[in-house]
Amino acid sequence: MTRQPSGGTGTIRQLLERAAAGERRALGRLLSLVEQGGDVADEIAEMVHGQASSQAHSQAAVIGITGAPGTGKSTLVGHLVDGMTSSGARPAVLAVDPSSPLTGGAILGDRIRMDGVAGGRAFIRSMATRGHAGGLALAVPAALRLFEACGYGPLVVETVGVGQVEVDVTRTADTTVVMVAPGMGDAVQANKAGLLEVADVLVVNKADRPGADDARRDLEHMLDLGRITGQTQHWRPEIIMTTATTGAGADQVHQAVRTHRAHLADTGRLEARRQSRIHQEVLDRITRHLDTAASQYLSTQPDELTEALKGHKTPATAAAEISKHLLSNQPP
Amino acid sequence: MTRQPSGGTGTIRQLLERAAAGERRALGRLLSLVEQGGDVADEIAEMVHGQASSQAHSQAAVIGITGAPGTGKSTLVGHLVDGMTSSGARPAVLAVDPSSPLTGGAILGDRIRMDGVAGGRAFIRSMATRGHAGGLALAVPAALRLFEACGYGPLVVETVGVGQVEVDVTRTADTTVVMVAPGMGDAVQANKAGLLEVADVLVVNKADRPGADDARRDLEHMLDLGRITGQTQHWRPEIIMTTATTGAGADQVHQAVRTHRAHLADTGRLEARRQSRIHQEVLDRITRHLDTAASQYLSTQPDELTEALKGHKTPATAAAEISKHLLSNQPP
């Protein structure tokens, strides 16, 4: 493996040892490298993999939390993390949400409180939604494995539930919590955004506001109609009413998450989800390789591209011809 | 070209003729087919291309409007469309925003008003953000070409500015308007979400609210620091204060868009942007072909995948091996 200006194999191994021993700054540095992507991120992944293989498989729970902006995700995550640390766990949070107050957003009170938590047993980290080499799809699982290798768990991924990439990030969690709030990002809008189809647990936040009961009824109705199937058949997502600002309902959310995970484990589906997570990551990484090959080929200004730019061919025809050229015709 | 159950070549040609003659239902049907993607969508694209080649090149302006949810995009678009129709144009709007009131969202008053507009010279259409074969990246340019072939212009694409795919959709517009609002999706958050780097015109909406001047100052400051470069060098995005609920400032936004487009035309960059739009579409279509090939190969359960699922290989190693196998080694 080639040495990188940012470290080299020896330095990364040292960082990993220090992070595994509990040094927060070393973990922070590794997460930055993972977020940047590329060869160094791959090198870290290889080392974490080697280390994990020599340990007992820890199987930290992965919990996705998503919903429209303003539904109160970060505030609820704060209460969940409080509950987890109180019961002796070492949760880690990855906030893939440009507006998350967990990591420097709008709500100062929350930020201070979360800084207090972060100074203790929990680890909170934000990840930009843009600018990754290879994209969020690669950086998120790599960061989660790093957290797990350093003894953290449960692992919470908070994403804003707008945008296909962002919703897909939660698709591979063990349990996905979808939040709606009366008026803002309500049940109907969440359904349109494709959020409800990934829900294992449903939360109606701002339960004290007008319209909360309507939102709950809408969700019940969609469940009755079979429009929310969850990620797992034979599982009807529980609907929990919360008031994230006071923390009311947060314990029930945590309990519902544990109940769902126990259900997955009992039915053998936990392992199936983990396999599907690896399958998806292999596919995402192949996509990155193929995209690179396509961009490189286009940069040679092939005739098919020139014809499309001149309007002599449609983009569809040019793309079909170039794809045929790029792909190997060997049988699998 | 294979015949499809949904129509066949003859039917599509008829639909296209009726849509070009001004029949709104025929255009709506074609847009649905384009949105579904696949062979029928490609067939429509080929026919539109053939038709466009035989006509004078109309070059409708393409305007992207983006910003965080709740900044007032749809309301401003409504005023822009009003202004355009008053001056004799036939604008078309593609709202790629699950919460857009333009096409059935939250704000009833706006919906009624827009229905009124839509009954006249303008054409308003929503597009789901999920569930496309091939994704938004293919459906949006195809829909725009269809609008243009039917005599519509300017073409307005409204997207919610959260999520990489959604921001990228506006990247290929002639002019991209980025909206911020005090507090909600303000300048700093817009910058984090990668919105400012695509801005040709900046709008601070809710100019009557506290914090609007701060938002403006933040944007000016970022411009001074060179942190907003726009899509074009040597272009400093104008900052316009609006109150979308009353329509105040909408005319200035329209004027700023025209000024920007004239700048592009004068400097020869309009054609460059159009070429880059075609280049991007060719790349997006190649990506779709390559992704299909990758998924098909993975479905054969190759050894590399099995090894990764068993934990004997990292996803990175498995993906590198499979990519090597899939790609042709012929020199370009």
Side-chain angles (χ1 to χ4, degrees), chain A residues 46 49 99 129-130 163-164 166 171 184 189 193 275 285 287 289 291 297 309 311 314 317 319 323 326 328, chain B residues 46 49 99 104 129-130 163-164 166 171 184 189 193 275 285 287 289 291 309 311 314 317 319 323 326 328 332:
Chain A
E46 288 291 336
H49 185 261
S99 64
T129 52
R130 288 181 62 83
Q164 191 155 344
E166 291 69 20
R171 200 176 270 276
M184 193 170 212
Q189 290 189 23
Q275 299 255 319
R285 285 180 173 275
T287 299
H289 285 292
D291 285 355
Y297 182 67
L309 291 174
T314 61
T317 303
S323 302
L326 284 172
S328 151
Chain B
E46 288 291 337
H49 185 259
S99 64
T129 52
R130 289 179 60 84
Q164 190 154 345
E166 291 68 20
R171 199 176 271 277
M184 194 167 211
Q189 291 188 24
Q275 298 255 319
R285 286 182 172 274
T287 299
H289 285 292
D291 285 354
L309 292 174
T314 61
T317 303
S323 302
L326 284 171
S328 152

Side-chain angles (χ1 to χ4, degrees), chain B:
Chain B
M1 212 158 284
T2 45
R3 285 187 165 251
Q4 298 293 324
S6 53
T9 308
T11 313
I12 286 170
R13 188 172 302 280
Q14 283 174 4
L15 278 173
L16 205 53
E17 281 164 10
R18 283 157 50 199
E23 197 186 310
R24 303 172 70 89
R25 265 189 55 195
L27 177 53
R29 175 89 185 106
L30 286 168
L31 286 165
S32 299
L33 293 172
V34 159
E35 193 173 354
Q36 283 164 32
D39 288 348
V40 176
D42 288 350
E43 193 178 344
I44 294 170
E46 288 291 337
M47 277 191 208
V48 168
H49 185 259
Q51 189 176 312
S53 303
S54 63
Q55 291 173 348
H57 207 37
S58 64
Q59 297 257 349
V62 180
I63 304 162
I65 302 208
T66 190
T71 45
K73 295 179 294 297
S74 302
T75 314
L76 181 70
V77 168
H79 289 290
L80 288 176
V81 165
D82 280 348
M84 289 166 184
T85 50
S86 302
S87 60
R90 292 180 66 203
V93 178
L94 195 62
V96 189
D97 178 350
S99 64
S100 173
L102 285 184
T103 50
I107 305 166
L108 191 61
D110 270 290
R111 187 156 81 231
I112 288 167
R113 196 176 53 71
M114 290 309 298
D115 281 349
V117 170
R121 304 177 61 85
F123 198 99
I124 318 275
R125 172 80 182 194
S126 73
M127 192 169 264
T129 52
R130 289 179 60 84
H132 302 281
L136 273 181
L138 299 188
V140 169
L144 294 181
R145 270 197 304 271
L146 197 49
F147 281 137
E148 188 164 4
C150 296
Y152 287 95
L155 311 177
V156 180
V157 184
E158 177 200 336
T159 74
V160 62
V162 187
Q164 190 154 345
V165 175
E166 291 68 20
V167 173
D168 285 349
V169 162
T170 62
R171 199 176 271 277
T172 49
D174 295 330
T175 302
T176 298
V177 179
V178 172
M179 288 185 75
V180 303
M184 194 167 211
D186 63 15
V188 176
Q189 291 188 24
N191 192 26
K192 278 199 220 170
L195 283 182
L196 299 188
E197 67 198 61
V198 300
D200 300 306
V201 174
L202 288 161
V203 172
V204 178
N205 192 31
K206 306 186 186 180
D208 52 339
R209 296 237 186 132
D213 287 335
D214 292 342
R216 187 198 177 102
R217 200 161 43 238
D218 286 347
L219 290 173
E220 293 280 10
H221 192 60
M222 288 189 238
L223 285 175
D224 291 341
L225 290 172
R227 285 170 67 184
I228 311 174
T229 53
Q231 295 188 26
T232 313
Q233 287 187 304
H234 315 298
W235 173 258
R236 184 179 166 116
E238 193 176 342
I239 302 175
I240 296 161
M241 310 297 281
T242 61
T243 306
T245 46
T246 65
D251 285 348
Q252 286 100 300
V253 174
H254 193 192
Q255 188 51 53
V257 166
R258 279 183 297 219
T259 304
H260 176 257
R261 194 159 187 273
H263 162 81
L264 287 182
D266 291 348
T267 55
R269 293 191 179 105
L270 194 56
E271 186 53 27
R273 273 202 190 195
R274 291 181 171 269
Q275 298 255 319
S276 110
R277 196 143 70 210
I278 294 170
H279 189 287
Q280 188 60 49
E281 188 182 347
V282 171
L283 182 57
D284 288 337
R285 286 182 172 274
I286 294 172
T287 299
R288 186 179 65 161
H289 285 292
L290 300 185
D291 285 354
T292 304
S295 295
Q296 281 172 353
Y297 182 67
L298 283 190
S299 71
T300 67
Q301 294 288 333
D303 289 345
E304 301 92 334
L305 177 62
T306 309
E307 296 288 294
L309 292 174
K310 284 182 181 162
H312 299 162
K313 264 178 194 167
T314 61
T317 303
E321 291 172 1
I322 292 171
S323 302
K324 202 172 168 190
H325 178 84
L326 284 171
L327 288 169
S328 152
N329 289 314
Q330 302 159 41

